[in-house]
Structures are given as structure tokens and as C-alpha cells.
């Protein structure tokens, strides 16, 4: 049962029902000697005169307030208030519903969302570090050994005794196999994480990515980079690289586009990335498809860095994924 309260224009409590009294831990008699001011927390009190004024002017309002319970704890309440004419005098009639449980559930949800955020951030960082380590290992250890092996094989071929062409042919085949293995090692390392991102920075890595992408997909891809953001620091650089990678992959998978554009710009203290295509256009419904993680991952990465994402598409006129990240995110480790 709702707690019912009748107030005069000055906030004096004129009548309450037993639910209202029980909710607040007072007797009805005690409440009838009080002004609403004595129940309101400071935040609620600050808003009260305006609400009373609006209601007495004829508006019906719904809002949330906080009252002090008689034992001192704070009682969150949902209020529906309207004016009531009693014998020519205007009063405020307000129905109160205890929303402690709802607040608790909301806070619990928020807390667990924050926990998940933290977890996903840590998982992302661990993944990136692991990829960096594996790519480095593949490139430096395996790649170098294979190259040394190739050089040894080269000199061995020269030293082969004449008159045994089948040995020469086998050596040649080994040589070709080694070349293929070296190329595969490079490719796997680069797919994991372009070492360029660490060694030469975001601009170089995006350049490599878009060239490679155009070559493999046949989608003509333009890269436009503002000089001032060519060297954005970690973790922004990794985030922007992965967002570009995912967006371009989506273009190749779904857009049926012939051209794409990656644009990296500075906008005040923000860095802005836009990936555009001229394809069929992302639809609103595509954006919350269950079981897909690409766009979700983009939103998550950006929100962890305190940035904003907008995703737009027009049928037949292409799509645009735009991410804006404050450059300050590079220094501030924990941006909630
Ligand atoms: N550039 C685009 N043009 C047209 N449709 C797109 C484009 N990018 C994404 N979509 C649509 O949006 C959906 C969601 O994309 P998202 O990247 O989240 O998921 P996915 O690519 O299907 O799966 P995942 O990325 O998890 O492998 C896609 O399934 C596709 O229908
Ligand atoms: Mg995807």
C-alpha cells in the first residue's frame, strides 16, 4: 500500500495514512505535528519548494525523493503528486512508494557492470601483451633462425659436388619451402600484432594495414592521417588500430563496398577515427545482433578510454564507424 501524504502550501503535514507512518517509522500523531522539511534530506529539500509550487499550479508530477526514516537511515521514494482542493484551500496530495529494493538492485547492477568493465579491460590488456610477446618471439626468434637456415642452405647449394643434379633440385625445393615458411611466420606475427605499432607507431601500422587490406580484398582503401595524431600513445594507439581492423573486416564481410576510407584526425584534445565505406549501410538492427562482438568490442574499448562511438549507415550510401577518444586517456590509467 502506498504511503499517502497531504501537505499544505507551507509543507506542513496535514494528513498521512498508516502506510506512510510505518514506512517512515513514526506514529501518525507525530507526523501530524511535523513539516515535510523535517523528513527531507538536503538534496530533496532543495527541490521541494519548486515541486510544491508546480503541483499547486495544477501540474501532476512524478519524481523521486529521499526522506530520513525515524531511525536516521535514508529512505528512497517514488512520488506521484497532484493538487487537491479542500474547501477552497489547495493542498498537495502525494503517493509514496518505497524504492529501496529497486535502488539496491540498480546499485548492484552498476557494481557488477563496473566489475565486468574492469575484467574486460584486464583481459584485453593481457591479450594484447600476450600477442605482442608471441609476435615478437615469432618474428625475432623463429624468423631469424629460419633466415639463418636459408643462408646456410644457400652456401651449401654452392658447395654441392658437381654431377649430382638431384641434390641441387632437392636443395632448391628446400629453399622454396623455407621461403614459404618465412613468409608465413611474418604473416602470422603481423596478424597477431603488427610490430610496427610498437616500433614505428600508429600511422605506420595503419598504413601497412590498409595497404594489405586493399591488396587482399580489392576494396580501394584511402588512409588520411592528420600529422598531429600520427604518434598517439598507448593504450589509445592499440585501441584505434583494433577498431580500424574490426571495422575494415566488417566492410569486407558485409558492406559489398568498392571503396573505404580510414581517417584519423585531431579535434581539440581528442583523437578521432572514422572508417567509412560506400556499401549497403549498417542498419540500426545490426547493431545489437546477439552473439556478435565486433561492434560491441569497439564500444567497450572506447568507453574504457572515456571516449564516444557513433555508428551510422544509410541504405545504399554506406556506413561510418566513428570513435573519439580523449588524448588524456593515455596518462589517466583508470578512466571509468
Ligand atoms: N560496414 C558494414 N556494412 C554493412 N553492415 C555491417 C557493416 N559492419 C557491420 N555490419 C552489420 O552489423 C553486424 C554486427 O557487426 P559485428 O562486427 O558486431 O558482428 P559480426 O561481424 O557479425 O561478428 P563478429 O565481429 O563478432 O565476428 C554485422 O553482422 C553486419 O550485419
Ligand atoms: Mg565484425
Amino acid at each position: 500500500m502506498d504511503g499517502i501524504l497531504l501537505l499544505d502550501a507551507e509543507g506542513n503535514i496535514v494528513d498521512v495514512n498508516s502506510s506512510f507512518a510505518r514506512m517512515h517509522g513514526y506514529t501518525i500523531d507525530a507526523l501530524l505535528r511535523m513539516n515535510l522539511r523535517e523528513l527531507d534530506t538536503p538534496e530533496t529539500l532543495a527541490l521541494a519548494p519548486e515541486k510544491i509550487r508546480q503541483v499547486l499550479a495544477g501540474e501532476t508530477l512524478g519524481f523521486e525523493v529521499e526522506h530520513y526514516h525515524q531511525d536516521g537511515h535514508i529512505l528512497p521514494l517514488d512520488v506521484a503528486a497532484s493538487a487537491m482542493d479542500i474547501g477552497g484551500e489547495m493542498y498537495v496530495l502525494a503517493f509514496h512508494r518505497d524504492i529501496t529494493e529497486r535502488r539496491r538492485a540498480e546499485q548492484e547492477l552498476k557494481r557488477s557492470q563496473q566489475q565486468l568493465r574492469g575484467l574486460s579491460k584486464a583481459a584485453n590488456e593481457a591479450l594484447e601483451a600476450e600477442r605482442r610477446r608471441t609476435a615478437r618471439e615469432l618474428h625475432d626468434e623463429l624468423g631469424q633462425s629460419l633466415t639463418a637456415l636459408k643462408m646456410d642452405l644457400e652456401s651449401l647449394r654452392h658447395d654441392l659436388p658437381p654431377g649430382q643434379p638431384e641434390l641441387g633440385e632437392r636443395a632448391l625445393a628446400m629453399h622454396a619451402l623455407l621461403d614459404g615458411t618465412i613468409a608465413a611466420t611474418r604473416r602470422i606475427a603481423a596478424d597477431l600484432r603488427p610490430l610496427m605499432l610498437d616500433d614505428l607507431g600508429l600511422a605506420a601500422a595503419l598504413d601497412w594495414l590498409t595497404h594489405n587490406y586493399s591488396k587482399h580484398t580489392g576494396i580501394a582503401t584511402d588512409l588520411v592521417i592528420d600529422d598531429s595524431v600520427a604518434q598517439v600513445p598507448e593504450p589509445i594507439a592499440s585501441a584505434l588500430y583494433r577498431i580500424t581492423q574490426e571495422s575494415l573486416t566488417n566492410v569486407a564481410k558485409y558492406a559489398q563496398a568498392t571503396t573505404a576510407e580510414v581517417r584519423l584526425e585531431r579535434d581539440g584534445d581528442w583523437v578521432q577515427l572514422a572508417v567509412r565505406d560506400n556499401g549497403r549501410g549498417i542498419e540500426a538492427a545490426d547493431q545489437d545482433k546477439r552473439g556478435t562482438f565486433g561492434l560491441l568490442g569497439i564500444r567497450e574499448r572506447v568507453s574504457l578510454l572515456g571516449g564516444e562511438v557513433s555508428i551510422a549507415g544509410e541504405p545504399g550510401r554506406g556506413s561510418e564507424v566513428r570513435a573519439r577518444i580523449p588524448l588524456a586517456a593515455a596518462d589517466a590509467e583508470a578512466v571509468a
Side-chain angles (χ1 to χ4, degrees):
M1 171 83 183
D2 286 349
I4 305 173
L5 167 72
L6 194 67
L7 287 181
D8 69 15
E10 278 74 51
N12 295 311
I13 297 176
V14 177
D15 204 358
V16 294
N17 67 353
S18 59
S19 282
F20 188 92
R22 197 166 343 104
M23 229 176 240
H24 287 77
Y26 287 96
T27 62
I28 293 180
D29 283 346
L31 285 166
L32 293 182
R33 289 191 296 273
M34 291 167 73
N35 187 287
L36 181 64
R37 210 179 300 129
E38 299 165 63
L39 295 177
D40 284 344
T41 61
E43 295 76 32
T44 297
L45 187 59
L47 299 173
E50 175 60 13
K51 298 280 187 218
I52 292 178
R53 195 193 58 73
Q54 282 175 292
V55 170
L56 291 177
E59 287 183 55
T60 297
L61 297 182
F63 51 95
E64 290 183 8
V65 299
E66 287 181 346
H67 286 170
Y68 289 114
H69 186 274
Q70 191 271 335
D71 69 13
H73 84 263
I74 289 176
L75 195 60
L77 297 159
D78 201 31
V79 182
S82 54
M84 192 161 144
D85 183 335
I86 303 175
E89 199 76 46
M90 293 309 284
Y91 292 86
V92 175
L93 177 67
F95 293 83
H96 292 71
R97 187 162 295 173
D98 185 345
I99 55 170
T100 307
E101 272 315 308
R102 191 168 92 202
R103 281 276 173 89
R104 209 199 310 278
E106 280 167 3
Q107 269 158 11
E108 181 57 32
L109 193 66
K110 205 157 145 201
R111 201 184 56 78
S112 78
Q113 270 171 347
Q114 266 165 0
Q115 254 178 359
L116 271 178
R117 276 264 151 82
L119 201 63
S120 108
K121 177 163 182 268
N124 238 328
E125 282 168 2
L127 186 66
E128 207 62 63
E130 186 62 23
R131 281 177 172 165
R132 184 183 291 137
R133 199 184 62 77
T134 312
R136 195 54 86 190
E137 203 97 321
L138 274 175
H139 180 270
D140 293 356
E141 294 294 322
L142 199 58
Q144 301 297 346
S145 310
L146 287 171
T147 305
L149 207 59
K150 187 176 139 185
M151 273 151 46
D152 281 350
L153 184 66
E154 202 76 47
S155 72
L156 198 70
R157 261 175 65 205
H158 285 294
D159 297 344
L160 281 179
Q164 290 186 290
E166 72 286 357
L167 279 188
E169 267 162 39
R170 273 168 65 192
L172 204 62
M174 283 169 77
H175 194 270
L177 188 62
L178 263 178
D179 271 345
T181 312
I182 290 169
T185 308
R186 287 228 179 92
R187 201 185 54 242
I188 294 168
D191 281 349
L192 274 175
R193 180 178 173 90
L195 297 170
M196 245 179 273
L197 193 53
D198 302 313
D199 299 342
L200 299 176
L202 182 60
L206 287 179
D207 194 47
W208 174 84
L209 177 70
T210 47
H211 268 101
N212 219 27
Y213 177 78
S214 291
K215 200 167 82 195
H216 285 114
T217 60
I219 299 170
T221 308
D222 260 353
L223 176 66
V224 183
I225 298 186
D226 206 74
D227 277 345
S228 61
V229 281
Q231 296 296 343
V232 297
E234 286 296 333
I236 304 177
S238 278
L240 292 175
Y241 182 84
R242 295 295 177 203
I243 292 167
T244 310
Q245 200 176 28
E246 170 60 24
S247 303
L248 286 178
T249 303
N250 279 347
V251 173
K253 283 203 289 191
Y254 309 111
Q256 295 154 348
T258 53
T259 64
E261 183 191 62
V262 177
R263 192 175 268 276
L264 189 65
E265 291 167 327
R266 183 162 183 153
D267 177 9
D269 294 333
W270 295 66
V271 50
Q272 173 167 300
L273 171 80
V275 180
R276 257 179 234 136
D277 67 62
N278 68 344
R280 69 168 174 83
I282 294 189
E283 286 169 46
D286 290 337
Q287 296 191 30
D288 12 75
K289 263 191 198 168
R290 275 168 196 281
T292 65
F293 298 100
L295 299 178
L296 194 68
I298 290 177
R299 290 190 184 285
E300 193 61 31
R301 269 179 206 284
V302 173
S303 111
L304 282 172
L305 294 170
E308 302 158 359
V309 174
S310 76
I311 297 170
E314 251 184 86
R317 300 197 50 191
S319 312
E320 182 186 73
V321 174
R322 185 194 298 249
R324 278 160 49 80
I325 298 177
L327 283 161
D331 330 309
E333 235 322 285
V335 182

